Amino acid sequence: MKATPAVAPRPSRARARTTSVAAFVVLAALVPTTASASGTQEVEAELPYVCTLPSGQLPATVRVSAEFPERAVAGEAFTPSGVTTTVELPAEAVADLTARDAAEVRAATRLAVGVAQNTATAAATWRGGADPVALPGSGPLTLVTRGDVPSVAGRSDGDLTFSAGALSIDLALGAADPAAADPGSLTVDCALAEDAPEQGLLATVPVGAGEQAPGDSPSSPGPAESSGAPDGGRPDGPGDRRPERQSERSPEVLENTPGAAADRDDVPPCRYDEQHPPTDVSLNAYVTGYANVKKMKGAAYLPPSCVLIEQGLPVPGPPDPEYLIFDTLSYANFHYLERKQTPPFEATFLSFDFAPVKATMVLEQTGTMRIDSRMKIRLSDFTTITDTYVRAPLVLHVLDLEVNGTPLDVGSGCRTETSLTSEDPDPANFPGDHLVLYGRGEQIIGLPATGYLLLSGGALSGEATIPAFTGCGSDGEDLDRLLTASVSGPGNYIKQVQGQTCAIAAPVFPSPENEGQCTEDLQPYEIPVAER
């Protein structure tokens, strides 16, 4: 659809001039500045660590970069953004991995971060993930992970400090030959070196108007017991501080609590029909999440979207002496008003901290989504690990655009030239333009599954390049280059959350004995909540 003009039609020359002025305004509003936004401090800390590998304890260098507010208000939560953890492991670590016949590695990091204010402390975990990288032929191994982190709120006035603690690196190894035995995985535990500058201090955020409360200790980092990262990031015991300080002053860490699920009346229907009859292996589920637009320094919320899935049958995977391996290939399509697309969603960004730019968009499929899952059952303890890759050819279609409340007509065919693209871990077998999202699930006997599994859902993440735009504009006004310069580019982090699926052939309805998986009319019972 097209935006409705805000004023009555004018002669063509005046209209052309008005559109040109609007294009200039949107260009000024959309093209990001090179300087930091007002009120933001960019932090980059380089810290020494000692990591335990099969060959022994080895030194490592860890660099943590993020953006924090210059000042915060007591009781109001904020979230560090742009968090990147770069780990440089020495050449001996590469030798440990190649000894397992590994040729590539996918890293996931878990950094314990101590949060302290005055004499009170709390603990947070900063998680990050990365695409697979090839092991170098010589020299150190550099792993770069990115992810979203918990929000934090200072409960009183006084400096809020963030300090790095223990670091765990989960390494999923890949063989050079897909037919070769799986080299498995490895978890590397690292401790902050004793000579780390300022005991691992990452950032300091003043909270309040800047006046220190009577009796409060200085805001600069103190000894280890009040640094915010004791014992690898765990808070001190109750006896280590005054009870009134703990209850009144302790910082609050909010672990991915974005809010309640959407009401069912606010989400599109998700059911099979005469045009899309189910089979014995049909599933349906809702998916929601966020997609960063790096150039705009913001994120777009993707509302709950219906996905119809045809689950494949597992087949034996490559032989492995330590695992039973099964591979499953499934296919899926978005389903909205009989189209393979998401519902329209709006995103509003602020540039220069004053010019609101609102866009209405949809993601449209150009081909069927492919879901590849590999399940590995460890023979020693029957722990199950499942790695899933979702490959989706999706173009971004811009429906409407407003700048400071003024509609700008982008036409009916404004979209990216090709699909959003990701670096595929297996480009030889999966060529072409498509988005890649990855999720890992784990289940230990007797415990609930964690992470992502196709049937129960969970979080999938990836990084996309937004291609150039085409077909944007009307009345002879070409806005392709404007949108391309403002939005297109690499490094756009995406995190999607899939809900529990409904198995159409064997539905599970809510009861005192079972959690609901399907509604009475065979729609997904669970509406997932987006996570940053």
Side-chain angles (χ1 to χ4, degrees):
M1 62 183 172
K2 296 185 179 180
T4 302
V7 296
R10 301 180 181 181
S12 58
R13 179 176 296 181
R15 253 176 71 190
R17 182 177 181 275
T18 302
T19 307
S20 297
V21 172
F24 176 79
V25 172
V26 75
L27 177 61
L30 285 176
V31 175
T33 61
T34 55
S36 301
S38 175
T40 300
Q41 55 171 317
E42 296 183 358
V43 173
E44 182 164 350
E46 182 171 307
L47 302 169
Y49 273 76
V50 177
C51 298
T52 302
L53 287 115
S55 57
Q57 292 190 332
L58 300 172
T61 299
V62 177
R63 290 184 293 276
V64 180
S65 60
E67 293 182 359
F68 292 82
E70 289 183 347
R71 183 172 291 277
V73 177
E76 292 188 6
F78 64 87
T79 307
S81 61
V83 176
T84 301
T85 303
T86 303
V87 182
E88 186 175 292
L89 297 173
E92 294 89 338
V94 178
D96 286 338
L97 301 182
T98 54
R100 294 172 169 242
D101 295 326
E104 67 175 21
V105 59
R106 172 191 287 271
T109 54
R110 289 170 282 133
L111 177 65
V113 175
V115 185
Q117 187 179 40
N118 303 318
T119 59
T121 63
T125 300
W126 287 8
R127 301 177 187 273
D131 292 329
V133 296
L135 294 176
S138 60
L141 170 63
T142 301
L143 304 169
V144 181
T145 66
R146 298 178 178 86
D148 297 309
V149 301
S151 300
V152 176
R155 307 297 287 274
S156 60
D157 289 353
D159 284 354
L160 197 63
T161 62
F162 295 76
S163 302
L167 172 69
S168 294
I169 312 168
D170 297 319
L171 302 176
L173 308 179
D177 182 0
D182 189 337
S185 59
L186 178 68
T187 296
V188 177
D189 292 320
C190 305
L192 189 69
E194 294 182 356
D195 59 348
E198 298 185 89
Q199 298 177 327
L201 180 68
L202 298 175
T204 299
V205 178
V207 177
E211 297 181 1
Q212 187 171 307
D216 282 347
S217 60
S219 59
S220 58
E225 61 268 23
S226 61
S227 68
D231 299 326
R234 293 187 299 274
D236 296 327
D240 295 331
R241 53 183 174 271
R242 289 170 287 177
E244 64 271 16
R245 286 288 188 189
Q246 170 65 10
S247 60
E248 297 176 6
R249 304 284 191 178
S250 181
E252 184 178 9
V253 176
L254 308 174
E255 292 277 358
N256 285 330
T257 54
D263 188 89
R264 187 163 297 276
D265 293 336
D266 297 328
V267 300
C270 189
R271 62 170 68 92
Y272 289 84
D273 51 34
E274 293 181 358
Q275 288 74 33
H276 303 83
T279 68
D280 290 342
V281 292
S282 292
L283 311 171
N284 52 1
Y286 283 109
V287 178
T288 185
Y290 289 93
N292 284 358
V293 181
K294 185 177 181 181
K295 282 188 175 180
M296 301 295 290
K297 297 183 179 179
Y301 168 66
L302 304 179
S305 302
C306 173
V307 180
L308 305 183
I309 305 167
E310 289 297 300
Q311 185 185 19
L313 298 176
V315 298
D320 187 290
E322 298 181 6
Y323 294 89
L324 287 176
I325 298 179
F326 297 93
D327 291 332
T328 304
L329 172 60
S330 306
Y331 294 98
N333 290 298
F334 283 123
H335 184 62
Y336 177 73
L337 299 179
E338 301 300 326
R339 300 190 184 108
K340 297 178 181 180
Q341 66 174 55
T342 66
F345 57 92
E346 291 184 350
T348 300
F349 303 98
L350 282 177
S351 192
F352 300 115
D353 293 330
F354 74 90
V357 179
K358 183 171 73 174
T360 303
M361 301 166 282
V362 296
L363 287 171
E364 300 173 337
Q365 285 182 235
T366 60
T368 302
M369 288 189 280
R370 177 186 175 113
I371 305 172
D372 289 276
S373 301
R374 169 164 289 184
M375 181 177 67
K376 301 187 299 182
I377 304 173
R378 192 157 53 209
L379 296 176
S380 59
D381 58 5
F382 296 102
T383 294
T384 300
I385 299 171
T386 303
D387 293 301
T388 300
Y389 292 90
V390 178
R391 294 174 170 90
L394 298 170
V395 297
L396 181 64
H397 185 177
V398 180
L399 303 178
D400 292 307
L401 189 65
E402 289 185 8
V403 181
N404 207 21
T406 301
L408 186 65
D409 194 349
V410 294
S412 60
C414 182
R415 66 189 68 213
T416 53
E417 290 182 343
T418 62
S419 168
L420 306 182
T421 60
S422 303
E423 183 177 344
D424 197 294
D426 189 4
N429 289 317
F430 302 100
D433 297 323
H434 53 264
L435 173 69
V436 180
L437 298 177
Y438 168 78
R440 163 170 281 204
E442 182 173 323
Q443 186 162 23
I444 300 173
I445 289 182
L447 297 176
T450 59
Y452 176 82
L453 296 172
L454 178 61
L455 291 179
S456 58
L460 293 154
S461 61
E463 193 169 283
T465 295
I466 301 176
F469 283 80
T470 185
C472 303
S474 62
D475 297 323
E477 193 73 35
D478 185 356
L479 301 179
D480 292 346
R481 287 188 295 175
L482 171 65
L483 287 171
T484 298
S486 307
V487 178
S488 301
N492 302 285
Y493 179 72
I494 298 175
K495 185 174 184 180
Q496 294 289 284
V497 179
Q498 178 204 304
Q500 166 73 50
T501 59
C502 168
I504 306 302
V508 177
F509 302 112
S511 69
E513 293 78 24
N514 295 306
E515 294 185 5
Q517 297 180 9
C518 305
T519 63
E520 291 297 328
D521 58 350
L522 300 181
Q523 296 192 69
Y525 186 82
E526 181 183 356
I527 301 173
V529 177
E531 297 178 1
R532 290 187 180 273

